[in-house]
Amino acid sequence: VAFSSVAFNGVGDAFAAADRRGHVYIFHVATNFYAVVAREPACAPLGGLSFTHCEPEQLLCASRCTIRVFSAETHSLVTTLQGHRSEVQAVKVCGAQLLALTQSLDAVILWDVRGWTKRRVMKASSSLLGVALSPEGEFCGMLQSGSRVALWRTSSATLDRELSAERPSLLGARLTLLAIGRKYVVAAGCGETLVVWNLHRDPAVFVESCSPVLALQLATWDAGMSKTVARGGASPSEGAYF
């Protein structure tokens, strides 16, 4: 059975994987051991999979409107998170801030990892297509229709700024992928264009890709250099870097 989602823990010695039957596994690399931690209905698509990247390490698994939290060590259920009225589409975590984020079509909920209490509930003015956290967790980016990105401050749940891609060819485009670094915000989706915003300059930059983008990751090093990895095309291993 093919796996549909994979996520690594904070130190890289374990990873979680979900298959198309709805089973969720935790694999321990050093001991070559795995355990099944959840069996979701096959008809219920997995909305997100992520480790907390802080001690004690836990795994978030979203299905329909519910997020379940499992212990990475004992594989037991820790708690169940509720609050979304529509299916959860993404789960993001910033271990340094002890912050987790879950996104549905109409809302983003920020959770405190220490006790799994709600920090904030942020409603969207239009349908949410994607979401991302900055590396230090100070910003939450919400990708909305019309090729717009709303940047919110997680500490106060206040809108910091809104970024737009003012390009006629993108007005009807469906951007669904979002990544935030210390300096750049990058969006992509059903098309062959990457939209890049420099947080210190207003206009967006458009980078043409040779094929539709399937996955997006923005990595930042301490030296201040950022690199965007956009994966797509016929071969899953092909990527574009800049």
Side-chain angles (χ1 to χ4, degrees), residues 20 40 72 95-96 229:
R20 299 188 185 279
E40 303 293 345
V229 182

Side-chain angles (χ1 to χ4, degrees), residues 165-177:
E166 297 179 357
R167 191 178 190 183
S169 61
L170 285 177
L171 292 179
R174 182 178 172 86
L175 298 177
T176 57
L177 304 173

Side-chain angles (χ1 to χ4, degrees), residues 4-69:
S4 57
S5 300
V6 176
F8 277 86
N9 71 346
V11 296
D13 60 2
F15 66 93
D19 64 25
R20 299 188 185 279
R21 298 175 300 180
H23 293 184
V24 180
Y25 309 81
I26 293 181
F27 294 86
H28 297 272
V29 178
T31 58
N32 195 28
F33 170 79
Y34 77 91
V36 181
V37 296
R39 289 181 171 87
E40 303 293 345
C43 60
L46 191 71
L49 192 68
S50 179
F51 283 95
T52 53
H53 296 174
C54 59
E55 293 295 334
E57 190 83 77
Q58 297 174 333
L59 174 69
L60 285 81
C61 175
S63 179
R64 292 180 174 157
C65 302
T66 301
I67 306 97
R68 291 195 283 171
V69 183

Side-chain angles (χ1 to χ4, degrees), residues 25-145:
Y25 309 81
I26 293 181
F27 294 86
H28 297 272
V29 178
T31 58
N32 195 28
F33 170 79
Y34 77 91
V36 181
V37 296
R39 289 181 171 87
E40 303 293 345
C43 60
L46 191 71
L49 192 68
S50 179
F51 283 95
T52 53
H53 296 174
C54 59
E55 293 295 334
E57 190 83 77
Q58 297 174 333
L59 174 69
L60 285 81
C61 175
S63 179
R64 292 180 174 157
C65 302
T66 301
I67 306 97
R68 291 195 283 171
V69 183
F70 298 91
S71 166
E73 181 180 1
T74 66
H75 312 137
S76 59
L77 179 67
V78 175
T79 189
T80 300
L81 308 179
Q82 295 179 326
H84 288 281
R85 296 184 178 182
S86 57
E87 289 189 359
V88 177
Q89 299 176 335
V91 174
K92 306 291 181 180
V93 171
C94 178
Q97 293 291 332
L98 301 175
L99 175 70
L101 174 157
T102 56
Q103 174 239 326
S104 59
L105 193 63
D106 60 346
V108 169
I109 300 179
L110 300 178
W111 305 88
D112 191 321
V113 171
R114 289 166 293 191
W116 294 113
T117 55
K118 291 179 185 176
R119 285 193 187 181
R120 307 281 180 183
V121 178
M122 297 183 291
K123 298 289 185 180
S125 58
S126 60
S127 297
L128 287 173
L129 305 177
V131 71
L133 280 171
S134 61
E136 286 80 19
E138 74 274 31
F139 287 113
C140 164
M142 299 165 63
L143 181 59
Q144 299 176 308
S145 57

